[in-house]
Amino acid sequence: GAGVSQSPRYKVAKRGQDVALRCDPISGHVSLFWYQQALGQGPEFLTYFQNEAQLDKSGLPSDRFFAERPEGSVSTLKIQRTQQEDSAVYLCASSQPLQGVGEKLFFGSGTQLSVL
Amino acid sequence: DAKTTQPTSMDCAEGRAANLPCNHSTISGNEYVYWYRQIHSQGPQYIIHGLKNNETNEMASLIITEDRKSSTLILPHATLRDTAVYYCIVRSLRSTNAGKSTFGDGTTLTVKP
């Protein structure tokens, strides 16, 4: 597609419910990133994939958060037993690293998760 | 990745140049300076990046000091649509941490008529 697509755009969950957020990166992009953005703050790194390999998951706040990218394209961020503090916008970004000339991140519009 | 320091907010008159500063005094030799902006309810949008030379594209110019400890993003003729939060980040491309970027809280630029 033309850009990074995320779905759903909005998600309302009851506390304790499991949710799954989807990211469709730009076709051919090797790298994929997930960020969490609380209201009024900048995006916070969660995890990073290079193709299907999850190279960095140091930003995942707890073991309730899990991300996968099994075929190296679409990625899913899953949050189990959601809590109110999980309410945030979840952003996905993809990129095609260009050695020696830097790398641009292309972001989706995000999924706004509200946990009641 | 090195941390960055930006003013919380700035105002600019429409049609004038907007100069947004960023301090990154702990930047290392293999780290690039990137600028992104985020308009309300959208994901961040890439603006420009550089390593040590000044850069210009259709959106903006990036001026990096010789010691690379600070930079300035210049929007030459700001419009109302440039009102957004602007993030300055530094980012290493080493394979061990290429994925992680620290955005901070950015500078909220308000362009006024």
Side-chain angles (χ1 to χ4, degrees):
Chain A
V4 178
S5 177
Q6 292 188 247
S7 60
R9 185 73 176 89
Y10 302 94
K11 176 68 179 177
V12 178
K14 292 183 179 179
R15 190 172 54 182
Q17 188 178 356
D18 297 348
V19 298
L21 312 180
R22 177 186 171 105
C23 173
D24 283 82
I26 293 174
S27 178
H29 276 192
V30 168
S31 302
L32 185 144
F33 311 84
W34 284 99
Y35 293 86
Q36 180 189 60
Q37 186 170 26
L39 188 64
Q41 298 182 20
E44 296 274 351
F45 171 82
L46 292 177
T47 187
Y48 158 59
F49 290 86
Q50 186 168 316
N51 295 306
E52 68 277 5
Q54 190 174 19
L55 298 186
D56 189 335
K57 53 182 181 179
S58 62
L60 295 176
S62 76
D63 59 7
R64 296 185 296 103
F65 286 71
F66 172 76
E68 60 183 5
R69 194 186 185 197
E71 297 178 359
S73 56
V74 171
S75 177
T76 303
L77 176 67
K78 298 178 179 178
I79 309 173
Q80 298 177 322
R81 305 180 304 280
T82 52
Q83 304 295 315
Q84 285 187 321
E85 62 263 29
D86 300 334
S87 296
V89 175
Y90 291 86
L91 294 164
C92 175
S94 70
S95 72
Q96 183 68 299
L98 300 173
Q99 193 68 24
V101 295
E103 174 184 8
K104 303 176 188 179
L105 296 179
F106 293 86
F107 283 83
S109 295
T111 294
Q112 184 170 327
L113 173 65
S114 299
V115 181
L116 306 178
Chain B
D1 292 340
K3 291 195 67 175
T4 61
T5 304
Q6 299 178 254
T8 302
S9 63
M10 292 182 65
D11 291 343
C12 177
E14 188 179 19
R16 305 297 293 270
N19 297 291
L20 291 91
C22 180
N23 183 290
H24 33 80
S25 58
T26 60
I27 193 170
S28 60
N30 65 349
E31 289 181 320
Y32 287 78
V33 179
Y34 287 80
W35 284 83
Y36 288 81
R37 73 180 183 185
Q38 188 171 27
I39 296 170
H40 184 61
S41 298
Q42 298 181 22
Q45 174 194 22
Y46 166 85
I47 301 174
I48 198 167
H49 76 279
L51 185 61
K52 54 184 177 181
N53 297 322
N54 297 338
E55 302 287 344
T56 295
N57 63 20
E58 65 279 5
M59 291 182 70
S61 294
L62 173 61
I63 308 298
I64 303 174
T65 58
E66 192 168 341
D67 63 7
R68 301 209 325 122
K69 293 185 177 182
S70 65
S71 61
T72 301
L73 177 75
I74 301 173
L75 308 178
H77 305 287
T79 70
L80 299 179
R81 288 175 293 180
D82 292 323
T83 292
V85 179
Y86 287 77
Y87 296 101
C88 166
I89 65 173
V90 292
R91 182 181 169 86
S92 170
L93 295 183
R94 289 181 296 153
S95 60
T96 54
N97 62 2
K100 191 177 297 185
S101 295
T102 301
F103 275 77
D105 292 337
T107 296
T108 299
L109 175 69
T110 303
V111 180
K112 298 185 174 180

